Amino acid sequence: MSVKSAPAPVPPAPVPAAPAPARARSGGRWADRLLRIYAVLLLAWLFAPIVVMIVFGFNDTKSKSNVTWQGFTVKWWGRLGDYPELMTAVFNSVTIALLATAITTVLGTALGLAIGRYRFRGAGATNVVIFAAIASPELALGASLLSLFVSTGVQTGYATVVIAHVLFALSFVAITVRARVLGMDPSLEEAARDLGASPWTTFRLVTLPSIAPGVVSGALLAFVLSIDDFVITQFTSGPLTTFPLWIYGAVRQGVPPQVNILGTLIFGVGVVIAITHSVLARRRVP
Amino acid sequence: MTDNQVGVGAADTAAPLVSPVPAIELHGVVKEYRVHGELVQAVKGVTLAIAEGEFFSLLGPSGCGKTTTMRMIAGFEDPTRGTVSLHGGDVTGVPADKRDVNMVFQSYALFPHMNVWENVAFGLRRRKTPEAEIKRRVGEMLAIVDLTGRERRRPRELSGGQQQRVALARALVNRPRALLLDEPLGALDLKLRQAMQTELKRIQREVGITFVYVTHDQSEALTMSDRIAVMNNGEVEQLAGPREIYERPATAFVAGFIGTSNLLTGTVDRVDDGCAVLALGDGGRVLVAGSAHAAGDTLQVTVRPEKITISAERPSGRVSAARGTVEDVSYLGTYTSYAVRLPEGTEVTVFQQNAFDSSTTAEPGDSVWLSWQPHHSFAIGS
Ligand SMILES: Nc1ncnc2c1ncn2[C@@H]1O[C@H](COP(=O)(O)OP(=O)(O)OP(=O)(O)O)[C@@H](O)[C@H]1O
Ligand SMILES: [Mg+2]
């Protein structure tokens, strides 16, 4: 039946339809072209500093400062260990970021579930505090944390940096998780309970898979925020050095090409994470 | 007839009372919610007993407390007062995962990250059923709901009707002692809805378990149920079989909610041979059979539109008769609907079958007589 009737409606359709798209296309051509130019310019503007950073990791510089191009070399890649304090700083940055991300993800997921799901005394205040933590200037947060640690006699160092990073990244995880919780059908969990699942099994088998994309986004945000944080780390690190702090300290004598290489490596890891994330996101459950 | 037929005692029904212990029993169940500091009663003292193997419907308008009642049976809500018993055991306060009933949700609530097979096997896995038995039972259940071959699909890759059947299979595969269904066909179009109604009835007969069915669709409740509890405003207005609910509505609400009904008010003139006679204007009268009313009582009487006959002459015999003017005629295929205005202002709806040699055709403006048998008039509780 459908085979027979198929050819009939096809021929008349293109006749009236043809002129309309043609006109639309010629009208939209300039808009299209402008949009493309704009996109290219924007990307160039965003990527120029990164390209410069990567390129200058291969600069055969003779002086201490690495600002003028003096020829191509890969020798710096073999001399990463020239600055042991730099390696320590990078190690600190990475371990702090991993630790802070792990803690933040657990606490932020719990917080996101709580504010997304339940109405409790102080829920409104919690929401305000979460947004305030995001909106407040890092400078204020760092300074107030420092005075808190000093007044309570806590020695600033590795632990206080982790605490500080957890503190400011927590809100981001809570917000991304909350968004997933709000979009989740509450009867899913009831269905699981109804079918004999305990509260914990329900969380593990139904709730967690449903909010997982939010948890992953939040964790990635937390990691990225932690690894390149400067302001709050500066206030709370005491004698500890992290990668951003070391670079800031080195600026006065000139930043060696090794920094560019480490920056390139961190950027590379970031790109891999971002690609993985967007691939995973495409497989998200609606 | 009692005003309020709430309760275990509603035995004058079509209930297949197989087991003496009811499958589900609610006793004086009240549910209160606090909304913005104000106490709202969603369910106001419901007492009912549902027999083993029965197809029982909770029917009522939106917001009357059907879902709340069902959620208390499932264990998602605790009653503020009263008790819930399943198969003779008090389960008030027992959480949902410890109750031997399963629910089919209006939104289906299928787990989106699991395929059809995993969804259906979920309940059996929770009870540590051996894998071989899970395989067999899930396979059987998918065959019953006609989904064999779709095991690997995700819920969103199925049509609405197929999702509905997965939800049904997921609940039934656990062999619960009762199945609770909250408007399970609400999201389906009319055709699929009717097909699924037949399907549900078939499955219920096949598995032989108690079904508690929530709906606001009266025709659905009438065609499928053994018994119906008509709810309004948190209370059960009538609990009876479909025929009785339709033919003998206990309250004005039930009469109005189920089908089309005419409501006439009058004062009892005399009682004649067990038949109350109410006088209407223009020489009309209403006979109410078997009513326990005395002269002088004011009565509300209902009569269904299809029980009324239209004629040009005053009908003879012991029938109710009323004179009126035809205001509107609508041809509706198998029958014609007439709107007739009585002298005292009441509008009466009359359905006449469009029989092959239909001679009783009236036009708007015609003066006609309406008549019906005494046992088609029902006095209802105020
Ligand atoms: N969690 C709740 N908090 C406050 N009020 C509630 C809650 N749940 C239900 N109610 C109220 O209780 C009443 C009954 O609700 P219920 O959901 O049982 O109605 P229903 O008969 O299922 O209606 P529908 O046909 O629309 O689903 C409604 O007035 C509703 O507003
Ligand atoms: Mg409901």
Side-chain angles (χ1 to χ4, degrees), chain B residues 68-89:
Chain B
T68 308
T69 305
M70 175 157 281
R71 290 171 60 81
M72 287 190 285
I73 299 173
F76 298 129
E77 310 273 0
D78 281 327
T80 312
R81 283 188 291 284
T83 57
V84 178
S85 304
L86 296 176
H87 305 96

Side-chain angles (χ1 to χ4, degrees), chain B residues 299-321:
Chain B
L299 282 191
Q300 276 199 311
V301 175
T302 66
V303 56
R304 294 287 179 191
E306 70 276 13
K307 309 290 186 196
I308 304 174
T309 310
I310 292 189
S311 55
E313 304 297 316
R314 189 183 209 289
S316 56
R318 243 170 78 91
V319 292
S320 299

Side-chain angles (χ1 to χ4, degrees), chain A residues 185 187-199 201-202 204-207 209-210 283-286, chain B residues 71 74 76 95-97 99 101-103 105 107 109-114 119 122-123 126 156 170-171 174:
Chain A
D185 179 1
S187 56
L188 282 182
E189 286 169 332
E190 288 184 344
R193 294 300 304 279
D194 188 58
L195 292 164
S198 65
T201 310
T202 301
R204 200 165 49 83
L205 297 181
V206 175
T207 317
S210 300
R283 285 200 264 140
R284 262 178 208 182
V285 191
Chain B
R71 290 171 60 81
F76 298 129
D97 51 325
R99 294 191 188 192
V101 296
N102 283 127
M103 182 147 167
F105 291 80
S107 61
L110 297 177
F111 306 127
H113 54 286
M114 299 182 194
N119 263 284
F122 190 90
R126 301 287 78 70
R156 75 196 132 135
R170 186 178 68 175
N174 308 297

Side-chain angles (χ1 to χ4, degrees), chain B residues 33 35 40 42 60-69 77 106 183 216:
Chain B
Y33 288 110
V35 183
V40 176
S62 185
C64 71
K66 306 181 296 287
T67 298
T68 308
T69 305
E77 310 273 0
Q106 180 164 11
E183 307 206 22
H216 62 252

Side-chain angles (χ1 to χ4, degrees), chain A residues 64-120:
Chain A
K64 272 214 124 189
S65 73
N66 181 17
V67 288
T68 47
W69 184 253
Q70 286 170 295
F72 181 84
T73 179
V74 292
K75 70 177 178 196
W76 304 120
W77 287 75
R79 289 172 54 183
L80 277 176
D82 278 8
Y83 299 88
E85 331 84 83
L86 173 59
M87 295 315 285
T88 313
V90 170
F91 177 81
N92 286 340
S93 272
V94 171
T95 55
I96 285 169
L98 288 174
L99 206 59
T101 301
I103 299 170
T104 309
T105 305
V106 173
L107 296 181
T109 301
L111 185 58
L113 274 169
I115 55 175
R117 175 68 47 76
Y118 305 106
R119 297 232 176 108
F120 53 93

